Amino acid sequence: MHFSCPQKNLLNSISIVQKSVSSKTTLTILKGIYLEAKMGQLKLVGTDLEIGIENIIEADVRKEGSIVIDARLFSEIIRKLPDSNVEISIDENSQILIKCEHTEINILSQSASEFPELPVVEEEQTYLIPQEIFRNMIRQTVFATSQDESRPILTGVLVEIEESILNMVALDGYRLALRRGSINAVDNYKVVIPAKTLNEISRIMNMDEDEPIKVSLTENHGLFTIGNTKLISRLLEGEFINYNQILPKEYKSRVKINTKNLLNSIERASLLGREGKSNLVKFTIKDDKMIITSNSELGKVYEEIPIQLEGNDLEIAFNSKYFIEALKVIEDEEIFITLTTGVSPGIIRPVDNDNYVYLVLPVRLH
Amino acid sequence: MHFSCPQKNLLNSISIVQKSVSSKTTLTILKGIYLEAKMGQLKLVGTDLEIGIENIIEADVRKEGSIVIDARLFSEIIRKLPDSNVEISIDENSQILIKCEHTEINILSQSASEFPELPVVEEEQTYLIPQEIFRNMIRQTVFATSQDESRPILTGVLVEIEESILNMVALDGYRLALRRGSINAVDNYKVVIPAKTLNEISRIMNMDEDEPIKVSLTENHGLFTIGNTKLISRLLEGEFINYNQILPKEYKSRVKINTKNLLNSIERASLLGREGKSNLVKFTIKDDKMIITSNSELGKVYEEIPIQLEGNDLEIAFNSKYFIEALKVIEDEEIFITLTTGVSPGIIRPVDNDNYVYLVLPVRLH
């Protein structure tokens, strides 16, 4: 193998694929980046066997070939090279030689044949989604996935395509986030994508690009193509919870409130509650205001926010974390909070927008 | 106590004094910030008994008094309040009440009488130093202080005033950094200031201000005044090493080299050496170039840099860390490295500037 390419391009490519390389793995080969020089192109691949990322850049290929280089060392070396052309070759002992201006670096390599091949994903069920919309949909749902590996299906986000509707749903037993979108599709499809995969996709998406992300799904794998980058991930197996059953259809109280004011007030109220377990904040809804209070051995907080109330007065308490996380991903200025009793779930929706629903369970007051 | 002031000013003041508050202390009172409202001013004080910081802001004082509030909690609360006026008072149970717009927060306080008084430093030996110069002098020396507490005197920087000359010197047994400056003084004075104190002063100095820092020294304490902020620190006791004896007067080889090129080359060479203990990089100086090499089980690096050599060819090896740290604080484009043999110290000086000398011991090659 023998090729050269600009340092900047190589560094960018390394930083894209490196995120799928696990530093914790005990398999040395998985700590490496696979390099393949072929027909004017350099392909870089990294994988942790769950997620694989592949990126292609142009290169001046003088001799085709492939090799595996330790990802961390390779990244550090290329980062420190000057903004110039980098030439990489392999000698007869399979040592890698990196040349750039007046620098020559020799490092050990591993055989490319030991590197696991990424699964081949047939591009049959293929959808195009604008990057900005997909990134926003991920942001508004992925935080509500479960961190608890004992129910693996809940560590992913349900992606549900029904004709021209695209729904993404995450839930963890305490709250549920549903983001609705539209898609150009004629068929129905349902998969559960690991939260980690969605976070990686979000990171890779380059918002400067107008090009949509291409999503191809099979039963077990998803292929996500963004420009010259492909991310391949396994999907989660199993049946997702029928979330429609969980969403209440009716309510007794509807509160209209400013999103930012509510977020700030709950954040202050939660400052003193943090030491406790449930981060309890209490809402007292009455007439034209909502009073938010919290209490701990450190002190107490009292907050008053103007609201428009339709329906009954109510007292209800929540874990502040579940409210804060949702309010942070809602960009709309005002939300409705709909409630039934002090022990039944609360629902948050943007006032001027029908695309987001967030359900949160209350904490029972003693 | 009862006062009010703008949230922004209070937050800024907290962030200045908070750095001297230790979160690790077992004395609860030292985890607090002392507040004193008096004659239109609010004074905040924090201390870890080694360093004390005091900051004064204007406030609308309705009732004079003083109190101690947990620093972390106070800082988090004030940070989360809106950009508005904050009103703080104490009730009959010594609870603190913080009011801001529609927020009311109650937290516990501690008695101001338990808070340690900062030492009084007589302002007799007083010097004025421009902030930018002092900050630069600190940056060029403080990194060379010893981390080893077994010789406490070396954990500080010697500050030596001799008529109109101000020298700052740090050394740790492997290298020595000497920064020369000038000062408007007629007397001689010598103190050793803890590295931690100098780092804090650097952080507090506000480069927007033209006002010089005022340094007042007594035998055991230093008082550093910057605008409305006073930092009081104990000084290190004991005799500093006679550093003049250490600096060699002669050399056999003098290398003129570009600072940035040398830094980049050593950084690359040290990438492969990091796993080892001494981060060894070897310099081979011959004719018009310096070759830098490093070797480890991970691979090897070869770097070539053009130089102007006066005197003998030479081979010498160094711990790369000691070179990198010095090169990072030298802003001059070119330096001289003067050397005698492969086992005697190297000296770095800027070519166009007489104010900095850095000595580093070589590593013996096997």
Side-chain angles (χ1 to χ4, degrees), chain B residues 154-191:
Chain B
L154 297 187
T155 63
V157 176
L158 172 70
V159 175
E160 200 179 43
I161 294 162
E162 285 185 354
E163 284 153 21
S164 61
I165 292 169
L166 170 69
N167 285 336
M168 286 176 64
V169 185
L171 63 92
D172 68 357
Y174 304 99
R175 40 41 189 299
L176 176 157
L178 160 62
R179 173 63 154 86
R180 295 196 185 96
S182 61
I183 195 166
N184 210 342
V186 287
D187 42 7
N188 296 350
Y189 221 81
K190 217 184 249 194
V191 293

Side-chain angles (χ1 to χ4, degrees), chain A residues 158-191:
Chain A
L158 172 69
V159 176
E160 198 180 44
I161 295 162
E162 284 185 355
E163 284 152 22
S164 62
I165 293 168
L166 169 68
N167 286 336
M168 286 175 66
V169 185
L171 64 93
D172 69 356
Y174 304 100
R175 47 24 193 310
L176 175 154
L178 161 62
R179 173 65 153 86
R180 297 197 184 96
S182 60
I183 195 167
N184 209 342
V186 290
D187 42 8
N188 296 349
Y189 220 82
K190 218 183 249 192
V191 294

Side-chain angles (χ1 to χ4, degrees), chain A residues 72 104 106 274 300 302, chain B residues 72 104 274 300 302:
Chain A
R72 194 177 56 82
E104 286 184 28
N106 271 284
R274 219 178 25 184
K300 56 189 186 198
Y302 173 98
Chain B
R72 194 177 55 82
E104 288 185 27
R274 218 177 26 182
K300 55 188 187 203
Y302 173 99

Side-chain angles (χ1 to χ4, degrees), chain A residues 66-98:
Chain A
S66 54
I67 199 83
V68 173
I69 313 185
D70 181 78
R72 194 177 56 82
L73 192 59
F74 191 41
S75 149
E76 286 179 352
I77 289 170
I78 303 303
R79 173 164 297 118
K80 288 285 180 192
L81 289 177
D83 180 7
S84 179
N85 223 38
V86 181
E87 188 184 334
I88 297 184
S89 57
I90 308 175
D91 70 11
E92 56 278 14
N93 305 316
S94 299
Q95 281 244 357
I96 294 158
L97 175 61
I98 302 171

Side-chain angles (χ1 to χ4, degrees), chain B residues 327-345:
Chain B
L327 295 174
K328 279 190 172 165
V329 299
I330 296 176
E331 274 151 25
D332 306 74
E333 203 183 325
E334 286 184 310
I335 51 167
F336 285 128
I337 306 173
T338 53
L339 302 158
T340 308
T341 69
V343 293
S344 49

